[in-house]
Amino acid sequence: MRALEQLRGMEPDLARMHEALAGAEEVVTIAPLRWRRRRDVKRYERGCEHFDRVTLESRELARWATTSLE
């Protein structure tokens, strides 16, 4: 149950991460001096997608384990 609560508590952190990525994407799109960083931002975006999936799957696994143990 604690693991499930902790995973649910990650939502604000994930939201901040997505906001930071959106800001970074905006900067590398607008600022010519930062254009060379576009590839780096894309890598972070792909990593973020994987992180989101892992978090979701972990939450489902914790929910399943909690239900089974109850």
Side-chain angles (χ1 to χ4, degrees):
M1 289 177 155
R2 262 185 302 179
L4 183 57
E5 290 172 13
Q6 288 176 343
L7 287 166
R8 285 180 178 157
M10 288 179 63
E11 287 299 322
D13 296 331
L14 291 173
R16 280 196 307 271
M17 183 173 60
H18 286 285
E19 287 175 26
L21 262 173
E25 186 175 12
E26 184 177 337
V27 168
V28 299
T29 301
I30 294 172
L33 292 175
R34 302 287 185 220
W35 285 351
R36 60 187 164 84
R37 297 290 185 170
R38 288 182 191 169
R39 189 175 304 156
D40 297 333
V41 172
K42 290 297 178 194
R43 283 187 197 129
Y44 276 105
E45 286 176 348
R46 282 194 308 271
C48 193
E49 289 173 11
H50 293 294
F51 193 72
D52 285 340
R53 270 190 239 130
V54 166
T55 304
L56 180 64
E57 296 290 330
S58 297
R59 217 178 336 178
E60 289 179 17
L61 182 61
R63 188 179 308 118
W64 176 82
T66 301
T67 303
S68 295
L69 291 172
E70 288 178 339

